Amino acid sequence: MSNLLIAPSMLASDFANIQRDVEMINHSQADWFHIDIMDGVFVPNISFGIPVCEAINRHATKPLDVHLMIMQPERYLESFRKAGAEILTVHYEACPHLHRTIQQIKDLGAKAGVALNPHTPVQVLQDVIADLDLVLIMSVNPGFGGQKFIEYTYKKIKQAVALIEQSGSQAVIEIDGGVGTNNAALLYEAGARALVAGSSVFNSPNPTQTIATLKKMT
Ligand code: DX5
Ligand code: ZN
């Protein structure tokens, strides 16, 4: 069995047929629903918010992996937890009191993730890595689907693997942006254990098959 988790991003789904796309993921080999929340401030785009997350959760039979691309995410952690989030990932760049924010996520009974923008070195997580369940390395600048994968990401994955090993952390490395069947195996080899895939899944002729192909790459 593959130990690579696949998290299709609902940002690339058809919002007019969201239930259909949720069912497709339910019946596929995907592991998580990746839910991208954008506030138009931290990132230059607005996606959707709590009611849409709730609506997805009403039909989803797999965990919601909620990626908060918002300023002051601590204001909304409880709402997203109530809306079904099992993993709550905040951005390092959006949290001046990151340690406290991570504890808040854990107090809500969710898994805690921290995301890093492409310009943010992995080493900034040194003092919190032991508390994390997930490290999300952005392989594009957050805000939009369908962007080109940044090759430097491979180096960051290796650095994250070393940091996790040194600290004894159980954190899973997740990669987000420009991921598809062309680079999934290399990302796994570098140390990634969860892959977000938006356009490569939803824009493919057979999304269920593409998810199966991604899952089989290890
Ligand atoms: C980008 C989001 C991603 C996005 C990925 O800001 O965090 O999750 O949906 O889209 P693709 O897979 O199309 O690059
Ligand atoms: Zn994302």
Side-chain angles (χ1 to χ4, degrees):
M1 218 177 103
S2 170
N3 56 351
L4 179 64
L5 302 169
I6 304 299
S9 167
M10 293 304 289
L11 186 67
S13 69
D14 178 353
F15 293 164
N17 286 292
I18 206 155
Q19 184 176 353
R20 182 200 64 192
D21 286 353
V22 170
E23 298 294 354
M24 181 278 289
I25 293 174
N26 283 344
H27 295 113
S28 77
Q29 290 181 47
D31 298 277
W32 297 338
F33 286 81
H34 187 78
I35 311 289
D36 286 304
I37 309 296
M38 304 179 181
D39 66 355
V41 180
F42 179 68
V43 289
N45 194 12
I46 297 175
S47 56
F48 49 78
I50 296 152
V52 174
C53 188
E54 265 167 8
I56 293 170
N57 190 48
R58 267 201 300 280
H59 300 286
T61 57
K62 297 174 181 182
L64 302 194
D65 167 35
V66 176
H67 177 194
L68 298 174
M69 286 163 275
I70 65 177
M71 297 302 291
Q72 294 180 271
E74 62 279 1
R75 292 177 300 161
Y76 296 105
L77 294 172
E78 195 175 349
S79 301
F80 279 107
R81 177 72 178 133
K82 284 189 182 141
E86 286 201 25
I87 303 161
L88 279 164
T89 297
V90 296
H91 264 264
Y92 168 83
E93 302 83 5
C95 296
H97 303 290
L98 184 63
H99 183 273
R100 179 186 293 148
T101 306
I102 293 166
Q103 298 316 313
Q104 284 172 345
I105 296 172
K106 300 195 133 188
D107 289 347
L108 290 167
K111 291 196 167 142
V114 173
L116 300 176
N117 278 342
H119 76 277
T120 304
V122 163
Q123 288 70 22
V124 299
L125 295 181
Q126 191 173 323
D127 294 349
V128 292
I129 191 83
D131 295 331
L132 294 183
D133 299 295
L134 188 101
V135 174
L136 194 168
I137 299 177
M138 289 304 305
S139 40
V140 298
N141 284 290
F144 303 94
Q147 302 182 79
K148 190 176 175 309
F149 179 85
I150 297 170
E151 295 292 324
Y152 188 73
T153 306
Y154 293 110
K155 283 197 186 138
K156 291 179 80 166
I157 297 172
K158 289 184 182 150
Q159 290 162 356
V161 169
L163 194 65
I164 287 167
E165 277 174 4
Q166 280 160 24
S167 68
S169 164
Q170 298 294 308
V172 166
I173 299 173
E174 182 174 37
I175 307 303
D176 187 2
V179 173
T181 51
N182 58 319
N183 53 15
L186 286 171
L187 290 166
Y188 179 82
E189 220 170 90
R193 290 296 176 267
L195 300 180
V196 177
S199 37
S200 68
V201 165
F202 284 98
N203 296 349
S204 72
N206 185 341
T208 309
Q209 183 54 49
T210 304
I211 292 167
T213 306
L214 286 168
K215 189 76 187 165
K216 261 205 311 265
M217 298 216 108
T218 60

